[in-house]
Amino acid sequence: QRCPCTVRLPKGLEGGDVSSGMCTDGGSLGDGESCLVSCAGGRSASKATCNDGVLVFPPLKCEIQDQQICTVPQLPPHTIYSKKPGDYVASKEKLTVTCEKGFRLTGGKEQQSFACFQGELSLGSGCQRCGKWTIKVKGARYQLKGWDKIKFNGAKTDNFEVNGVTTGSKEDPVKNCQEFGHPEQLLLQEKLSQTTVLALSCSNQEIFVDEAVFDETDNAWCS
């Protein structure tokens, strides 16, 4: 015996009352029955169908209605905003953050733009002292030349990790792991900004960060 469905509307979708044919949150549908859902605001109504206890929703792409504004916060040390503290930033508008000489944002960036989203600006910790990192990574199966002293121009608060990206994707700078039958390219990246430091090897082994040492006196590149 096939099962009915209880309607549970995901965030961003809305229904209406049953007489309009729209799905009602908490309502019930028999197997094979359909009701209509739409994006917030009533746009793009499409059928959701009950399939043996599972309500299958149409592939609607709904934008979150976000009209909240953001307020520019006080400046962290050595950090410059494109607007003054207390100014307003409209929803989806961007605030540009720049660093004074001798300082950089996470990942060694001199400048970055942050969008206002649902009343919040995720600006991080602001600009930090810049310098040069020396990073050592280790492979579980083998080690390649240079992995014991990888150099990176960055900020004092940077952290590093090894991540895999799909081989051949736009995030993959090498694009050859598929030739060896491996699905991912492993990258050494700064953790928060996801800035790529170095492409390491294909995903035929695990690689981990063994050590990272920061030298703030080696800062001619950012002074």
Side-chain angles (χ1 to χ4, degrees):
Q1 183 178 357
R2 295 171 70 87
C3 300
C5 297
T6 299
V7 178
R8 293 284 182 262
L9 296 177
K11 186 176 182 179
L13 294 184
E14 63 180 21
D17 80 68
V18 178
S19 63
S20 67
M22 301 294 288
C23 298
T24 303
D25 199 36
S28 181
L29 287 176
D31 181 57
E33 291 183 340
S34 299
C35 60
L36 295 175
V37 293
S38 68
C39 295
R43 302 186 305 278
S44 308
S46 296
K47 282 185 180 180
T49 303
C50 179
N51 181 21
D52 194 17
V54 178
L55 188 58
V56 181
F57 289 96
L60 290 174
K61 293 183 178 180
C62 303
E63 292 185 5
I64 297 174
Q65 298 299 303
D66 178 16
Q67 301 300 325
Q68 299 182 62
I69 62 172
C70 297
T71 304
V72 178
Q74 292 298 311
L75 291 166
H78 315 292
T79 305
I80 304 164
Y81 292 157
S82 57
K83 292 192 173 190
K84 296 177 182 178
D87 284 354
Y88 294 119
V89 180
S91 172
K92 299 179 184 177
E93 184 183 349
K94 292 183 178 181
L95 177 73
T96 300
V97 181
T98 310
C99 297
E100 296 176 357
K101 287 185 178 181
F103 297 85
R104 285 292 186 271
L105 293 162
T106 303
K109 296 178 180 179
E110 183 179 5
Q111 185 180 93
Q112 193 172 355
S113 294
F114 299 87
C116 172
F117 180 70
Q118 293 188 322
E120 293 186 5
L121 284 163
S122 299
L123 299 174
S125 58
C127 301
Q128 305 293 326
R129 182 73 65 181
C130 59
K132 192 175 293 290
W133 284 94
T134 302
I135 308 158
K136 180 180 180 181
V137 301
K138 278 190 175 181
R141 294 176 54 203
Y142 59 87
Q143 193 80 357
L144 294 184
K145 184 179 179 180
W147 282 9
D148 60 338
K149 50 181 178 181
I150 301 166
K151 301 292 184 180
F152 177 69
N153 293 334
K156 190 173 183 177
T157 52
D158 286 347
N159 286 291
F160 303 95
E161 63 182 3
V162 176
N163 294 314
V165 296
T166 302
T167 182
S169 66
K170 64 179 182 179
E171 293 83 12
D172 177 9
V174 183
K175 296 180 172 59
N176 70 350
C177 288
Q178 71 271 20
E179 298 175 16
F180 306 103
H182 301 300
E184 292 185 324
Q185 170 71 49
L186 299 183
L187 306 176
L188 174 63
Q189 295 181 315
E190 196 287 315
K191 189 172 184 178
L192 184 61
S193 66
Q194 294 294 284
T195 301
T196 296
V197 178
L198 184 69
L200 298 171
S201 71
C202 300
S203 54
N204 58 338
Q205 68 164 340
E206 289 186 29
I207 304 174
F208 60 92
V209 177
D210 186 49
E211 186 179 52
V213 178
F214 182 70
D215 181 4
E216 67 178 45
T217 64
D218 193 349
N219 62 1
W221 64 274
C222 59
S223 298

